[in-house]
Amino acid sequence: MIREFRQVDVFSAAPLLGNPLAVVHGADGMSAEEMQRFARWTNLSETTFLLAPTDPAADYRVRIFTTEEELPFAGHPTLGSAHAWLEAGGVPAGERVVQECGVGLVRLRRDGGRLAFAAPDLIRSGPVEEQLAVRIAAGLRVDRADIVDLAWADNGPGWVAVRLASADAVLALTPSLADLPGKIGVVGPYPDGAECAVEVRAFVTDETSGTEDPVTGSLNASLAQWLAGGVLPASYVAAQGTVIGRRGRVHVDTDADGAIWVGGDTLTTIRGTVAL
């Protein structure tokens, strides 16, 4: 079948400086195997497939695939999918866009031209066992004492969050990706008065390979749930992707009800059709 297709740049106001997302519209009828095959072929960090919702409270349903697996939730695919759905003529039933995905219903709001999603509840939080902390330090190639704090910050992908003393320390990391256990997010603060509050890096490893993700919505959401309103301001801007030639900007905002919204600019870079 010929299906509508978009490639969206997420978390950047300028083309080619954010995190790309492949979006297939009208994916009803495709099997999980077909979706996985196409996601592997695009070779992007994530590819999403838009379908009719099964929950009457949702505006659309999305399935999110990496090159190797399906994810219950991911941040930049959430913003990019909502952007593509709206650009293709989608009209939300209510004030908010409501996305159905593996973790349930995710709300999105529009703030001018920028989209933001409400951070989903963490699946796992709290202290990291010391044996794992030592392994993470070794994989990051830092002393264990250089880690100011760390915690589980898993909202689906499986993140462990690590806090270093400064943004410069985050930028200076040269990790051994093969030695990192799973998905590790690292954050460090910029000095007061800087454009951004923190620098973030996200390292994703599996049994065969490792990579650095350009800009990561799910990680920034869980970092905000961990640090916003205490270590960090309730609302702030995070930089990500600097080391790998991107200029990601993630806008975090805590509303009056205490909900954390994670937003960023989105723009379509490729529009067309795919034969799937």
Side-chain angles (χ1 to χ4, degrees):
M1 291 182 60
I2 303 299
R3 290 179 163 91
E4 192 174 356
F5 174 83
R6 282 174 171 78
Q7 190 159 304
V8 182
D9 203 9
V10 182
F11 291 124
S12 175
L16 312 180
L17 293 177
N19 198 353
L21 174 75
V23 184
V24 177
H25 297 256
D28 301 274
M30 291 185 67
S31 69
E33 291 76 16
E34 290 169 326
M35 293 179 184
Q36 184 65 77
R37 190 180 307 123
F38 185 68
R40 188 175 297 117
W41 182 82
T42 67
N43 204 34
L44 297 178
S45 57
E46 280 99 10
T47 297
T48 63
F49 300 84
L50 300 181
L51 308 101
T54 61
D55 188 319
D59 292 305
Y60 64 90
R61 182 163 65 101
V62 65
R63 296 183 70 175
I64 304 166
F65 287 80
T66 72
T67 56
E68 299 297 331
E69 63 179 343
E70 184 172 7
L71 299 178
F73 171 77
H76 104 272
T78 292
L79 295 185
S81 295
H83 168 98
W85 182 78
L86 290 165
E87 189 176 75
V91 178
E95 180 183 359
R96 307 290 194 205
V97 176
V98 181
Q99 172 183 286
E100 179 184 353
C101 58
V103 295
L105 299 181
V106 176
R107 295 175 298 141
L108 295 105
R109 68 182 187 184
R110 288 177 282 188
D111 182 11
R114 185 177 294 144
L115 289 164
F117 65 84
D121 293 338
L122 294 177
I123 297 169
R124 185 177 183 181
S125 60
V128 172
E129 51 273 28
E130 184 59 25
Q131 184 177 8
L132 179 57
V134 170
R135 288 183 61 199
I136 291 171
L140 291 174
R141 292 177 173 164
V142 299
D143 291 335
R144 173 65 180 87
D146 292 334
I147 295 178
V148 177
D149 197 6
L150 74 169
W152 284 99
D154 182 13
N155 50 17
W159 295 109
V160 176
V162 176
R163 180 159 64 98
L164 299 184
S166 67
D168 285 344
V170 174
L171 292 167
L173 289 173
T174 56
S176 173
L177 294 178
D179 294 323
L180 281 174
K183 297 178 173 68
I184 309 299
V186 189
V187 60
Y190 279 101
D192 291 343
E195 176 200 355
C196 297
V198 291
E199 183 73 32
V200 173
R201 295 178 71 180
F203 304 109
V204 180
T205 62
D206 56 31
E207 294 179 356
T208 59
S209 64
T211 188
E212 179 167 354
D213 194 60
V215 202
T216 318
S218 62
L219 172 60
N220 277 280
S222 59
L223 288 174
Q225 288 166 311
W226 183 35
L227 301 174
V231 173
L232 295 177
S235 299
Y236 62 90
V237 179
Q240 191 179 346
T242 308
V243 172
I244 56 175
R246 309 297 175 89
R247 194 180 184 277
R249 295 292 183 267
V250 182
H251 296 257
V252 173
D253 179 57
T254 306
D255 68 19
D257 297 322
I260 290 174
W261 294 86
V262 179
D265 294 294
T266 54
L267 63 158
T268 299
T269 54
I270 300 172
R271 183 185 295 110
T273 58
V274 290
L276 295 173

